[in-house]
């Protein structure tokens, strides 16, 4: 998903950066290359809030710089004219307008060394999106996260799936293939 980031209080539209949602992430994570780009676009440095130590997915601990960034999310909505009617494009489809879904929020963000593609570690959105908007997913094998600014907005956008058919790509364990639990040896006599 693309979020727009900028230096706090910079009067620019922000820069789109692709993130993944990880419910275990306590803080947004970007790369040092992203930080430098945001500073160049914003005309000043990001405010350094300090250093943080964080447990990584593989169990080791790492130290990260923590900065303050502003974040928002944009969405595409059908364009409407002054009378409220949908605007068609020359090919008969509909035109779309890009609109900001949320206000600009200032949040803490940890900075990972390097740039995109380093060790294939993704940028993480952290908890901001789930605190700010409604999110939903469906066990339909699409790996989509649906994001809305109101609960009723989900409507028919989130598929209704028969969860008994939702076994996807080995995510559900076949219990017949799980070895018997470890049985400790009897106490030493």
């Amino acid at each position: 998903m693309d979020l727009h980031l900028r230096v706090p209080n910079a009067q620019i539209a922000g820069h789109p950066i692709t993130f993944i949602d990880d419910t275990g992430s306590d803080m947004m994570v970007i790369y040092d290359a992203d930080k430098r780009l945001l500073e160049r676009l914003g005309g000043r440095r990001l405010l350094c809030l300090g250093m943080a130590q964080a447990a990584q997915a593989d169990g080791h601990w790492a130290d990260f710089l923590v900065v303050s960034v502003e974040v928002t999310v944009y969405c595409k909505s059908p364009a409407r004219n002054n009378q409220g009617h949908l605007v068609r494009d020359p090919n008969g489809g509909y035109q779309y307008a890009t609109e900001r879904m949320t206000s600009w929020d200032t949040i803490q963000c940890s900075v990972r060394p390097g740039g995109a593609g380093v060790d294939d570690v993704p940028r993480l959105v952290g908890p901001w999106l789930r605190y700010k908007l409604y999110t939903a997913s469906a066990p339909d094998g699409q790996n989509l996260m649906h994001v809305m600014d109101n609960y009723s907005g989900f409507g028919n956008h989130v598929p209704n799936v028969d969860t008994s058919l939702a076994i996807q790509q080995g995510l559900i364990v076949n219990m017949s293939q799980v070895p018997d639990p470890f049985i400790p040896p009897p106490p030493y006599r």
Side-chain angles (χ1 to χ4, degrees), residues 8-167:
N9 299 316
Q11 299 304 311
I12 60 172
H15 181 70
I17 298 178
T18 301
F19 291 85
I20 67 165
D21 183 49
D22 177 357
T23 58
S25 174
D26 293 332
M27 189 181 302
M28 178 178 281
V29 176
I30 62 171
Y31 292 111
D32 186 58
D34 300 325
K35 175 185 165 293
R36 289 192 312 270
L37 174 65
L38 293 172
E39 289 172 337
R40 190 173 76 245
L41 294 173
R44 62 181 180 275
R45 296 182 63 100
L46 290 168
L47 176 64
C48 176
L49 301 175
M51 297 292 289
Q53 192 175 63
Q56 303 303 291
D58 65 3
H60 83 277
W61 288 82
D63 295 321
F64 293 102
L65 176 68
V66 178
V67 297
S68 177
V69 298
E70 279 188 336
V71 61
T72 191
V73 61
Y74 284 83
C75 68
K76 287 186 178 180
S77 302
R80 297 186 180 270
N81 63 20
N82 292 339
Q83 290 79 34
H85 301 287
L86 294 175
V87 178
R88 291 202 175 267
D89 66 22
N91 298 323
Y94 291 104
Q95 291 183 5
Y96 288 87
T98 302
E99 303 172 314
R100 224 177 50 225
M101 254 180 112
T102 66
S103 59
W104 284 100
D105 291 323
T106 303
I107 64 169
Q108 295 179 358
C109 179
S110 64
V111 181
R112 179 180 172 77
V118 175
D119 300 328
D120 292 324
V121 177
R123 297 175 187 100
L124 304 177
V125 72
W128 173 80
L129 189 69
R130 291 182 308 281
Y131 289 165
K132 189 72 175 182
L133 297 166
Y134 289 94
T135 60
S137 61
D140 61 355
Q142 300 296 311
N143 278 341
L144 296 176
M145 183 169 59
H146 305 272
V147 179
M148 298 287 174
D149 58 358
N150 64 66
Y151 181 75
S152 63
F154 286 115
N156 293 327
H157 294 286
V158 180
N160 186 6
V161 178
D162 180 352
T163 57
S164 67
L165 304 173
I167 298 175

Side-chain angles (χ1 to χ4, degrees), residues 163-186:
T163 57
S164 67
L165 304 173
I167 298 175
Q168 297 290 326
Q169 303 148 358
L171 298 176
I172 297 177
V173 175
N174 180 346
M175 291 307 289
S176 66
Q177 296 176 352
V178 175
D180 289 333
F182 173 73
I183 300 172

